[in-house]
Amino acid sequence: MPRVVVDVMLKPEILDPQGQAVANALPRLGVTDVSSVRIGRRIEIEFSGQPDLDRAREIADKLLANPVIEDYSIRLADPEESTP
Amino acid sequence: MPRVVVDVMLKPEILDPQGQAVANALPRLGVTDVSSVRIGRRIEIEFSGQPDLDRAREIADKLLANPVIEDYSIRLADPEESTP
């Protein structure tokens, strides 16, 4: 099914307390070789017809990302990429 | 920098009210060719040394995903894939 994936991440200079919390929990699991964890959003948009990247960009701009604190990237889902 | 990406999405049979809210807002933007929107999480794990997929899987199992309602997939970040 034609699908567009929008990845939204906080800009690198914005603090990510949620990712930080995960990173802080890792030593307790015995994991010491992780330097950073960042948590963002992955949005899958399914089109009824042809997937439309420009349309997806418009949706991301207006509804999915906050351009003040977030960056996003848009791509077609790999054909073999299932909903993970 | 060596990075592992974990994509966490709600299982297909689990209702996604957040995605549904976005989908419901689309006709007001004049978008009528989207059949579904699903919103999940994208987690970027940066390793200080070699990225370790098994380690990332352990982290995802224990900290990042709820296996009752979520599926996840793990992959190395494409070298050219910047923080979006």
Side-chain angles (χ1 to χ4, degrees):
Chain A
M1 228 167 323
R3 211 142 37 97
V4 172
V5 173
V6 182
D7 288 320
V8 181
M9 300 296 290
L10 286 169
K11 287 180 196 280
E13 65 269 24
I14 305 286
L15 215 62
D16 175 6
Q18 198 185 358
Q20 197 54 50
V22 171
N24 290 345
L26 292 180
R28 272 184 279 132
L29 296 180
V31 178
T32 55
D33 55 347
V34 167
S35 55
S36 135
V37 177
R38 305 278 292 175
I39 300 186
R41 290 194 304 290
R42 172 195 163 99
I43 299 110
E44 296 181 352
I45 303 175
E46 221 160 77
F47 286 84
S48 46
Q50 277 306 301
D52 182 338
L53 288 179
D54 290 335
R55 188 68 97 179
R57 188 169 302 280
E58 191 191 332
I59 298 172
D61 272 331
K62 293 192 180 155
L63 291 179
L64 301 178
N66 176 351
V68 178
I69 58 168
E70 291 169 331
D71 292 324
Y72 66 86
S73 72
I74 292 181
R75 61 193 163 85
L76 287 175
D78 303 335
E80 80 278 13
E81 187 179 349
S82 63
T83 304
Chain B
M1 228 166 322
R3 211 143 34 97
V4 172
V5 174
V6 182
D7 289 320
V8 181
M9 300 296 291
L10 286 169
K11 287 180 196 280
E13 65 269 26
I14 305 286
L15 215 62
D16 175 7
Q18 199 186 358
Q20 197 54 50
V22 171
N24 291 345
L26 292 179
R28 274 185 278 133
L29 296 180
V31 178
T32 54
D33 55 346
V34 167
S35 56
S36 135
V37 177
R38 306 277 293 175
I39 300 186
R41 291 194 302 291
R42 172 195 163 99
I43 299 110
E44 296 181 352
I45 303 175
E46 220 161 77
F47 286 83
S48 46
Q50 277 307 300
D52 183 338
L53 288 179
D54 289 334
R55 188 67 97 179
R57 188 170 302 278
E58 191 190 331
I59 297 171
D61 273 331
K62 293 193 179 153
L63 291 179
L64 301 178
N66 176 351
V68 178
I69 58 169
E70 292 170 331
D71 291 324
Y72 66 85
S73 72
I74 291 181
R75 60 192 164 84
L76 286 175
D78 302 335
E80 80 278 12
E81 186 179 350
S82 64
T83 303

